[in-house]
């Protein structure tokens, strides 16, 4: 969820770039930088932390340049000179490599003649890096993004657009980038594969960014760069083309968004925007961890030593709310794949117990913010008693990262809506990867089976997009029919149970409707008494070893006259007349279905809350991060 901004024109670029980056702060970031072309050279300034740190370095006149050893030299300039009118800027949310100035963008080639800013993931960067290193290139960062600068430079023969087109054909993954060259000081060249890029048109000046807010204060004339396209910006115009060089015609559109709408990317709320960002968030979370073959690579900065993971005798997951539900999905996956016993504990209860925990146990604390008070307290108690503690969090530098022995980061980007959506699916994705890595280390799954599951995990981003694109009509029908109901029941079994729990939580949080969620096998132990012909029952009935049991439970529901809304797997004909509305999600390995099955339930809660006229981004009585008891 990084941010890109670029400018080419007649005005001083520095303040325009900083203002653009400021408008992208809502996306979240841990470091930032800009590069500016001064006559025949490019100067970069990068910093860790917020934009005020970058501003302070700029105010002191600090600049960077590559030295002969491939590192970075810092100098201070005081001499007056004409202002730079071409530049690029970036806010980084770390994926490859730790948070450091060396890993911050922009990145440059060894001769410091070509700079790039990049969003997304280059999946084949290791192979490219090995090739370029063998050709004599020296790398100064741990990132995949630097590879793009070196690769473009390797193809550069005086035509930046041509070099970008050639490099683009060699890159795999999902990314967007903007490049500039000291030899072509009045040009920017961008390229897009999956990740967004948008152009802002002006008189004698052009802007490019990952999102409209970066330049909204300067122009409302935009051109959208489509997937797989190359764009060249010069002060007097913009050319969009295919990688083969075929020029494309693209209308200039006028947008009438206010700044708040622009930050939401044109969506009516942050929650809806974040639901739509889930494919990208999961892609970022899994990319380099499954991008190098048929296994899982969790050997990253801050992660646990794998010898410790291989020796684990028991796992305890401590978490609250949505994070607890993500851990519950993980329990099924880890026990199924790695054959390690997993216990679940609500962190607010665990911290006040006298738990039996110690050496040989792995305690996993899951917290989106890394600041959840109850989860932190539970993690500390476990660590004091000798357990190894692993944090799963979305925020680098959070307290959880300091309290744990190891960390696995989700890469969801900043989530503004109080009701968690994209952070949930990313937590589940990370736990899947951990479960598979444990299975590899312990030899509990055949390599062929691991490769099969990894292949399915790689499909998840595409399948998420498919769900979001396809389920609208069914969700609208259900919301129209049931938005005024005062009670919903959610049921599920096995991995469908945590999805039901999470779906029910979303409905409670943002629509204020009384909602219960149960294991479907518990229906006859009390909940069935709640049912009558006015009750909507949401059933998670995706493919699994217990699907037939789930069908029987839905028959029980129907026999009491309740309305059954089922999330099911595409092509499943076994539900038949047991449902009033079937909402299919793509067929994928049954253990991975929760990531897809939860999305219709997020959208259902959203549509019902909107019909009730409620503020879904800021539901009453709730805070994004619970930092007190």
């Amino acid at each position: 969820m990084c941010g890109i901004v670029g400018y080419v024109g007649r005005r001083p670029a520095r303040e325009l770039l900083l203002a653009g980056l400021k408008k992208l702060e809502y996306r979240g970031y841990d470091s930032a930088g800009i590069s500016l072309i001064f006559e025949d050279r490019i100067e970069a300034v990068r910093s860790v932390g917020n934009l005020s740190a970058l501003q302070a370095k700029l105010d002191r006149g600090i600049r960077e340049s590559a030295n002969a050893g491939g590192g970075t030299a810092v100098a201070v300039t005081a001499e007056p000179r004409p202002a730079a009118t071409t530049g690029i800027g970036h806010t980084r949310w770390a994926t490859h490599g730790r948070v450091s100035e060396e890993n911050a963008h922009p990145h440059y080639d060894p001769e410091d003649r070509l700079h790039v800013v990049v969003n997304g993931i280059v999946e084949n960067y290791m192979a490219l890096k090995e090739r370029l290193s063998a050709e004599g290139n020296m790398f100064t960062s741990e990132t995949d993004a630097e590879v793009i600068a070196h690769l473009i430079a390797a193809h550069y023969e005086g035509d930046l657009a041509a070099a970008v087109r050639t490099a683009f054909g060699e890159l795999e993954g999902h990314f967007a980038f903007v490049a500039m060259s000291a030899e072509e000081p009045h040009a920017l060249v961008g390229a897009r594969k999956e990740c967004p890029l948008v152009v802002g048109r002006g008189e004698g000046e052009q802007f490019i960014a990952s999102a409209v807010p970066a330049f909204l204060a300067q122009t409302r004339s935009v051109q959208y760069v489509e997937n797989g396209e190359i764009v060249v910006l010069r002060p007097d115009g913009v050319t969009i083309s295919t990688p083969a060089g075929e020029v494309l015609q693209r209308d200039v559109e006028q947008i009438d968004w206010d700044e708040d709408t622009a930050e939401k990317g044109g969506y009516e709320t942050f929650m809806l925007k974040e639901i739509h960002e889930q494919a990208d968030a999961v892609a970022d979370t899994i990319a380099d961890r499954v991008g190098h073959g048929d296994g899982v690579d969790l050997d990253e900065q801050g992660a646990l030593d794998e010898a410790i993971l291989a020796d684990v005798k028991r796992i305890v997951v401590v978490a609250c709310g949505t994070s607890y539900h993500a851990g519950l999905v993980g329990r099924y996956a880890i026990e199924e794949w790695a054959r390690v016993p997993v216990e679940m504990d609500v962190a607010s209860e665990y911290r006040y117990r006298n738990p039996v925990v110690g050496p040989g146990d792995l305690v996993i604390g899951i917290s989106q913010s890394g600041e959840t008070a109850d989860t932190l307290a539970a993690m500390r108690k476990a660590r004091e008693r000798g357990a190894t503690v692993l944090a799963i969090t979305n925020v680098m530098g959070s307290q959880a990262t300091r309290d744990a022995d190891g960390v696995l980061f989700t890469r969801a980007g900043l989530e503004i809506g109080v009701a968690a959506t994209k952070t949930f699916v990313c937590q589940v994705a990370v736990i899947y990867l951990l479960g598979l890595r444990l299975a590899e280390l312990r030899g509990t799954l055949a390599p062929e089976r691991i490769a099969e599951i990894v292949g399915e995990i790689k499909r998840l981003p595409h399948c998420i997009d498919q769900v979001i694109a396809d389920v609208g009509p069914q969700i609208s029908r259900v919301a129209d029919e049931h938005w005024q109901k005062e009670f919903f029941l959610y049921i599920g079994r096995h991995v469908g149970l945590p999805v039901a729990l999470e779906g029910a939580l979303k409905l409670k949080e943002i629509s204020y409707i009384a909602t219960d969620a149960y294991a479907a096998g518990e229906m006859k132990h009390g909940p069935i008494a709640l049912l009558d012909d006015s009750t909507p029952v949401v059933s998670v009935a995706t493919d699994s070893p217990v699907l037939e049991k789930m069908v029987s439970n839905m028959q029980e529901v129907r026999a009491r006259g309740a309305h059954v809304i089922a999330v099911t797997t595409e092509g499943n004909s076994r539900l038949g007349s047991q449902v009033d509305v079937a909402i299919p999600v793509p067929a994928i390995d049954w253990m991975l279905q929760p990531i897809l099955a939860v999305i219709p339930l997020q959208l259902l809660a959203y549509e019902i809350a909107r019909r009730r006229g409620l503020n879904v981004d800021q539901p009453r009585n709730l805070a994004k991060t619970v930092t007190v008891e």
Side-chain angles (χ1 to χ4, degrees):
M1 298 300 155
C2 307
I4 285 174
V5 62
Y7 173 80
V8 57
R10 303 189 183 101
R11 288 192 279 169
R14 174 180 139 170
E15 296 308 318
L16 291 169
L17 295 175
L18 285 172
L21 293 178
K22 186 76 175 172
K23 290 298 183 182
L24 297 179
E25 282 189 299
Y26 70 93
R27 297 165 69 90
Y29 67 106
D30 49 54
S31 54
I34 66 171
S35 288
L36 299 165
I37 298 181
F38 290 95
E39 297 175 341
D40 64 345
R41 62 175 290 125
I42 305 179
E43 295 178 8
V45 182
R46 302 180 292 184
S47 70
V48 170
N50 60 30
L51 287 173
S52 62
L54 179 65
Q55 180 77 62
K57 291 185 72 173
L58 286 163
D59 290 344
R60 296 198 306 272
I62 294 176
R63 70 173 187 264
E64 304 176 17
S65 62
N67 63 27
T72 300
V74 178
V76 176
T77 65
E79 72 276 9
R81 53 184 172 171
T85 60
T86 302
I88 52 178
H90 191 267
T91 53
R92 176 182 189 241
W93 186 287
T95 52
H96 293 74
R98 66 189 187 281
V99 180
S100 67
E101 287 190 10
E102 292 78 14
N103 290 334
H105 299 217
H107 289 290
Y108 41 76
D109 71 300
E111 307 234 333
D112 198 16
R113 305 288 295 169
L114 190 146
H115 287 215
V116 299
V117 287
V118 184
N119 285 355
I121 301 290
V122 180
E123 292 178 356
N124 62 331
Y125 85 101
M126 283 301 297
L128 292 171
K129 187 173 184 177
E130 289 171 5
R131 189 188 90 193
L132 291 162
S133 296
E135 293 171 0
N137 288 262
M138 297 184 66
F139 288 79
T140 62
S141 78
E142 304 165 304
T143 73
D144 58 333
E146 188 182 358
V147 166
I148 295 180
H150 289 247
L151 187 62
I152 296 171
H155 294 299
Y156 186 71
E157 297 179 350
D159 186 338
L160 181 59
V164 166
R165 288 190 189 98
T166 304
F168 185 80
E170 298 183 53
L171 296 166
E172 298 174 8
H174 68 286
F175 51 80
F177 64 83
V178 178
M180 66 183 191
S181 168
E183 296 180 24
E184 299 178 55
H186 303 297
L188 298 176
V189 181
R192 177 192 169 189
K193 186 175 182 183
E194 307 297 342
C195 293
L197 272 182
V198 59
V199 171
R201 300 298 303 269
E203 292 294 329
E205 61 182 6
Q206 316 298 338
F207 298 82
I208 188 167
S210 49
V212 168
F215 55 70
L216 185 63
Q218 307 300 325
T219 180
R220 294 177 178 271
S221 300
V222 305
Q223 286 177 300
Y224 292 98
V225 182
E226 301 296 342
N227 192 39
E229 294 180 349
I230 312 294
V231 58
V232 180
L233 292 80
R234 293 186 174 86
D236 59 356
V238 171
T239 303
I240 299 175
S241 67
T242 67
E246 177 188 353
V247 175
L248 304 169
Q249 299 303 313
R250 186 67 38 79
D251 291 338
V252 177
E253 300 181 27
Q254 299 297 316
I255 59 172
D256 57 3
W257 302 343
D258 57 26
E259 290 192 10
D260 183 56
T261 304
E263 288 187 357
K264 295 171 186 169
Y267 294 102
E268 60 183 0
T269 64
F270 281 109
M271 184 180 176
L272 186 61
K273 172 178 175 285
E274 288 155 6
I275 289 172
H276 282 256
E277 288 175 343
Q278 289 181 115
D280 285 344
V282 170
D284 285 345
T285 296
I286 68 174
D288 57 315
R289 292 158 167 168
V290 295
H292 312 305
D294 296 329
V296 174
D297 181 4
L298 296 180
D299 183 18
E300 55 197 61
Q301 185 77 22
L304 284 176
D305 187 294
E306 294 199 330
I308 295 174
L309 288 177
D311 236 9
V312 166
K313 303 296 187 294
R314 179 180 70 144
I315 293 173
V316 179
V317 178
V318 291
C320 303
T322 286
S323 296
Y324 179 88
H325 301 154
L328 191 54
V329 177
R331 180 179 74 177
Y332 288 106
I334 291 170
E335 289 189 342
E336 178 80 16
W337 295 338
R339 308 305 299 152
V340 182
V342 181
E343 297 177 12
M344 293 294 305
D345 256 292
V346 176
S348 57
E349 290 295 310
Y350 187 88
R351 67 181 293 188
Y352 292 113
R353 280 176 47 205
N354 185 18
V356 180
V357 66
D361 293 331
L362 174 64
V363 174
I364 303 175
I366 308 175
S367 167
Q368 177 276 137
S369 65
E371 304 289 348
T372 307
D374 289 323
T375 304
L376 293 175
M379 291 165 59
R380 289 170 189 148
K381 173 167 280 191
R383 201 175 185 198
E384 287 166 2
R385 299 187 178 201
T388 300
V389 175
L390 175 70
I392 294 177
T393 183
N394 196 46
V395 181
M396 292 190 174
S398 60
Q399 189 62 46
T401 68
R402 299 193 291 274
D403 289 350
D405 298 294
V407 184
L408 287 175
F409 289 103
T410 54
R411 297 161 178 173
L414 183 65
E415 187 175 66
I416 293 175
V418 168
T421 52
K422 63 179 179 174
T423 52
F424 171 77
V425 295
C426 288
Q427 287 170 345
V428 174
V430 163
I431 299 171
Y432 283 150
L433 299 181
L434 176 62
L436 281 180
R437 187 61 187 140
L438 284 166
E440 288 180 310
L441 294 170
R442 301 167 72 87
T444 52
L445 281 181
E448 297 79 14
R449 176 60 179 146
I450 291 173
E452 180 184 350
I453 298 170
V454 166
E456 292 284 86
I457 288 174
K458 290 178 180 179
R459 290 181 54 217
L460 280 170
H462 172 74
C463 291
I464 291 170
D465 275 337
Q466 185 179 334
V467 174
I468 292 171
D470 292 348
V471 300
Q474 295 99 322
I475 296 297
S476 291
R477 173 184 166 189
V478 175
D480 286 340
E481 186 171 352
H482 298 293
W483 68 271
Q484 292 178 300
K485 300 291 175 58
E486 295 304 319
F487 174 72
F488 277 68
L489 181 67
Y490 284 62
I491 58 174
R493 299 189 79 134
H494 205 281
V495 289
L497 173 58
V499 177
L501 291 167
E502 176 61 12
L505 178 61
K506 290 285 98 55
L507 192 65
K508 293 173 192 174
E509 285 179 308
I510 64 173
S511 74
Y512 318 147
I513 294 175
T515 309
D516 269 339
Y518 283 92
E522 293 292 291
M523 288 287 293
K524 290 183 178 178
H525 294 273
I528 203 165
L530 296 169
L531 303 183
D532 59 29
D533 59 8
S534 67
T535 312
V537 177
V538 179
S539 172
V540 181
T542 52
D543 287 349
S544 79
V546 295
L547 179 59
E548 293 300 332
K549 297 293 184 183
M550 197 66 214
V551 172
S552 295
N553 296 137
M554 288 189 290
Q555 288 172 336
E556 294 171 347
V557 168
R558 291 275 289 185
R560 274 72 185 176
H563 303 270
V564 178
I565 301 128
V567 178
T568 185
T569 305
E570 207 168 54
N572 186 331
S573 59
R574 283 183 280 180
L575 300 188
S577 61
Q578 305 309 316
V579 302
D580 294 283
V581 179
I583 305 171
V585 298
I588 199 166
D589 186 282
W590 66 271
M591 187 64 79
L592 308 183
Q593 290 278 347
I595 282 183
L596 305 182
V598 77
I599 296 170
L601 305 190
Q602 295 169 347
L603 289 166
L604 178 60
Y606 180 87
E607 292 296 338
I608 288 174
R610 294 297 282 175
R611 282 161 174 75
R612 293 167 76 96
L614 301 173
N615 183 342
V616 299
D617 286 337
Q618 296 177 317
R620 69 188 183 200
N621 304 331
L622 297 177
K624 184 63 182 172
T625 303
V626 183
T627 57
V628 294
E629 289 190 70

